[in-house]
Amino acid sequence: MYYKVVNELPFWQTLKDFLIGAEAEVRSLTSLYSNVGRNADALALYFGEDPARCPFEQGDLAHLLFWEYV
């Protein structure tokens, strides 16, 4: 059985270009999520809560439920 060898260079170049862009997006999202976490901690402290006891995800859910019933 004979398989035709296909030039794989365009695939690898496309993959490399994608990964370069994806790395930048991951860094950006990581930074954004970190900033949101700091802001959530500051907000918890403002309301007299312990940020360690009330993680960002739990506060986000409480906020969503609050606005759902308002």
Side-chain angles (χ1 to χ4, degrees), residues 3-61:
Y3 292 101
K4 183 177 178 183
V5 177
V6 179
N7 184 1
E8 295 179 349
L9 186 59
F11 168 77
W12 292 111
Q13 186 60 46
T14 302
L15 181 61
K16 181 180 175 184
D17 294 342
F18 169 78
L19 289 176
I20 289 171
E23 285 177 9
E25 291 295 324
V26 167
R27 280 192 300 274
S28 174
L29 286 173
T30 301
S31 174
L32 178 64
Y33 194 77
S34 178
N35 287 335
V36 169
R38 281 194 291 274
N39 287 339
D41 287 349
L43 188 61
L45 287 172
Y46 177 79
F47 285 110
E49 296 292 332
D50 180 12
R53 242 181 14 96
C54 182
F56 166 67
E57 292 82 4
Q58 180 183 351
D60 193 35
L61 177 61

